[in-house]
Amino acid sequence: MAAQTVVHKGRTLAWEGFCTGPELLSHAELDGLSRRLLGIGLAAAEVAAEKELRPSGVPRGAVPAIVLGTASTLKGCFEADVAKLARGASPDDFPAYSEARSVYLAAPGDLVVGRGEAWRQAVAASEAVPVEVDEPRYYYLTHALLTLAASEPSERPAPPLALLIRQLRDVPATVVRLFAMDAEARLLLLWLKRAAGLDVLGVDANGPEVAEGWNRKTTLYPTPEAARTLGGPVSPGEPGALLDAEFALTPFHAEFGVVLPRLPGYSISRAGADEKSMSRQVREAAGLLVERYGLELGCFKPAEALTGDRIRTAVPLADADTLDALARQAMESEEDYVLEAHTHYLRHRVPGYEFILAPSVHVAAGGLAEGGTVQITRGSVWEGSVYVDEGTCARFGITPEQFRTAREGMAGLYEAFRGAGRDLGFVKGGVDFAIARLGGRFGSTPVVAMQDLNLSSNGAEYVRALLAEARERAGRRDGVYAATKVVRPAADTDLKRLEDGVQRRSSQGWARAITAVPGRWGLIGVASSCPREAAVEVLELEERLHREGMLRTSLRDESVLGEGEPVFPG
């Protein structure tokens, strides 16, 4: 690809290290495409999508599927990559990784859409049917497909689109699996549906109200201004009662009337704020955490971050200079944030690694998924998942009661989106819970609380797909567990080489190379009869692959600590 550049805040940056180009479709261009392809503008297309695109959570292999593993504008993937370029850091190239790893979610015979060599190798190693899009100029796959749709007459669509239309026409029950239903995906799927002559198209993605309206941390936290409306001095008694009173002031409670277990914290709005008003919000939030909960430390988080990047932990709540610096960070990144209690996670050690107790519970295939996952992390960044259930969670220091509390919290969220005679189409997603001590008026008693919403496709889908494959191989469901680990391949480690390395394992169990984008990202997995053994083995496998020169880093290799934390999409 010829040398390309991108402009970020007045600076021209070299676009290097990507499998795709930096081109994007503007809002005006998308509106023009909508009018050309559908005869209506974007606003009308959004209304049409509510009637013509149906959230459909169905298990892998239950019906034929089209897997569209595109990165999403809802998660700000392009902005995150450009921000890395601006810092002089190695970009993540989310499109290459997203498109390549999504192949693993396809059942035999499913159509998988993508670009690039990493994607081609993933398809070649699968039993899926490739639909290659020879259009690398655009960062987002949906932008490339929309451009292709407009490039040919409707009666003679470009070959990749013709394959998709034929599949939908021949098998109307086909479901489309994708990361999230953003505006671009809605436009593309509406066009495909109409071109195939369908009344309704099933989509394995959340409805827009869930994906865009509630998939942000600020929905679970009141603003400092709203919190002050409780009025008068607040009793320093039972902090749980105060938490519930504050939750009643949140957007989520106002809409659904449901109380969910969460941490003390407050939302910080960027909209219309200048630096002075932003600093006032951050200072007010910090003051409330000190005054009401007796806390000394906070955690500053972007409301809609793609990953654990840009999280600032252990914020001294009484340090005005630090608080003002956080306000400037929010101004520069132009994001909403939350300032919540800093969590002193309970921890559990296995050989060579210490887990923080931040389990995740999920919705998959349209219902509350079995079990849950324990996260492998580096700092605040997700790097893998270990499947556990109530019978095995204690092997990671989680009590069955704590595990049930997390699952009950997720059930409350799921039922909220389906209550009062309406169904918002919540078919997939996950919630991270903290099992932690907060200190202050909470003392040393651990709490179990929602920490992060990820109401879209997520990393746990891959450990669950690995688990399903392992159970099929074993011929049973019971006594089978799995763990996945994000890895960072060397520049010459493609999927074929990674597969060769993984297959040379000598320990018991079974391992798999799932994805590899050379020089960027990869994903490996291990199945075993015990989740703890699976976790230990996947970490040992990563360490060995690193020693053999296939990976640039290993979580157990202390040399990575000086490189800064990589950012992985969970």
Side-chain angles (χ1 to χ4, degrees), residues 35-46:
R35 296 179 188 281
R36 177 172 177 177
L37 296 173
L38 303 175
I40 54 177
L42 276 179
E46 183 175 345

Side-chain angles (χ1 to χ4, degrees), residues 353-503:
Y353 179 74
E354 187 174 63
F355 282 88
I356 62 171
L357 298 192
S360 299
V361 186
H362 307 92
V363 164
L368 189 64
E370 64 175 322
T373 61
V374 178
Q375 300 183 72
I376 300 172
T377 58
R378 179 182 284 142
S380 59
V381 180
W382 175 87
E383 284 202 348
S385 301
V386 184
Y387 174 79
V388 296
D389 51 29
E390 189 173 325
T392 57
C393 61
R395 299 177 195 183
F396 293 89
I398 301 171
T399 68
E401 181 182 8
Q402 290 168 336
F403 191 76
R404 286 194 297 271
T405 297
R407 286 186 55 81
E408 288 164 4
M410 186 60 168
L413 179 69
Y414 176 71
E415 293 301 331
F417 289 147
R418 295 165 57 87
R422 60 178 177 171
D423 185 348
L424 301 185
F426 183 27
V427 300
K428 65 166 61 176
V431 173
D432 298 338
F433 286 78
I435 301 178
R437 294 183 176 91
L438 304 182
R441 297 196 174 105
F442 293 89
S444 60
T445 302
V447 301
V448 180
M450 283 185 174
Q451 207 164 17
D452 291 314
L453 301 180
N454 188 9
L455 308 184
S456 62
S457 184
N458 55 83
E461 290 185 65
Y462 295 88
V463 77
R464 291 181 181 278
L466 180 69
L467 179 68
E469 184 178 1
R471 286 172 168 174
E472 185 176 351
R473 282 173 172 255
R476 67 182 193 278
R477 292 180 60 86
D478 295 337
V480 182
Y481 296 87
T484 55
K485 177 69 179 67
V486 169
V487 295
R488 304 178 78 189
D492 60 349
T493 302
D494 59 10
L495 183 58
K496 295 174 183 176
R497 186 179 181 215
L498 190 62
E499 284 176 332
D500 289 342
V502 166
Q503 289 171 0

